[in-house]
Amino acid sequence: MRSRYSAFALGGLGAYLFTTWDPRTRDPTLTMAQLDTRDSHWLGLEIIEAREDGAQGVVEFKARYRPLGATSMTSSDILHERSRFRRIKGEWRYRDGVMDPTSPSAVSRNAPCTCGSGKKAKRCCLR
């Protein structure tokens, strides 16, 4: 989880994000270039819970971010998600995530998806 957060925060690491995504759950139309796009300043990561059960893992986290172009330098949003991972050949792969619906970052259906895919939320993680 921390490495994927770092890849989003640094930007330009779409290839890493793509390869650490479980191919069975990754949207087949998703490209590395879409994941390279940086649309936010990532300000911090808080791991709330991490569990492992064999080849399955769950990480609940809160990530603070400020959308690029935001006019206020003091305000930030919080992405609160419970992500599922699967170990494939000894390496963890992101499967999917469920956002906390009470989180301020729970986006509208037509907003860009917070996973960074470049798609609208309704066509991506809200499906």
Side-chain angles (χ1 to χ4, degrees):
M1 182 65 236
R2 283 183 173 89
S3 69
R4 286 182 57 83
Y5 168 82
S6 295
F8 277 110
L10 292 170
L13 295 170
Y16 177 78
L17 292 165
F18 190 85
T19 58
T20 58
W21 201 320
D22 185 341
R24 292 186 225 176
T25 60
R26 185 178 57 223
D27 183 334
T29 63
L30 185 65
T31 67
M32 289 183 222
Q34 289 170 316
L35 291 172
D36 269 341
T37 304
R38 187 166 184 229
D39 60 357
S40 300
H41 291 287
W42 293 93
L43 307 170
L45 175 67
E46 174 190 0
I47 303 294
I48 297 167
E49 178 186 11
R51 288 193 329 263
E52 179 182 339
D53 184 14
Q56 306 298 318
V58 175
V59 177
E60 182 178 357
F61 69 92
K62 290 182 182 180
R64 290 185 318 105
Y65 68 97
R66 183 180 313 110
L68 290 179
T71 55
S72 172
M73 292 304 287
T74 58
S75 68
S76 63
D77 290 322
I78 297 174
L79 169 65
H80 184 180
E81 182 178 297
R82 181 180 280 292
S83 297
R84 296 187 313 158
F85 292 83
R86 185 167 72 97
R87 192 181 345 228
I88 303 172
K89 297 181 182 176
E91 296 182 358
W92 289 105
R93 300 287 183 241
Y94 174 79
R95 290 180 61 197
D96 56 23
V98 176
M99 287 189 289
D100 179 349
T102 64
S103 173
S105 68
V107 297
S108 72
R109 292 171 31 81
N110 289 317
C113 190
T114 56
C115 77
S117 68
K119 294 182 174 188
K120 290 183 178 185
K122 69 183 178 186
R123 302 246 185 258
C124 194
C125 292
L126 289 182
R127 274 201 280 179

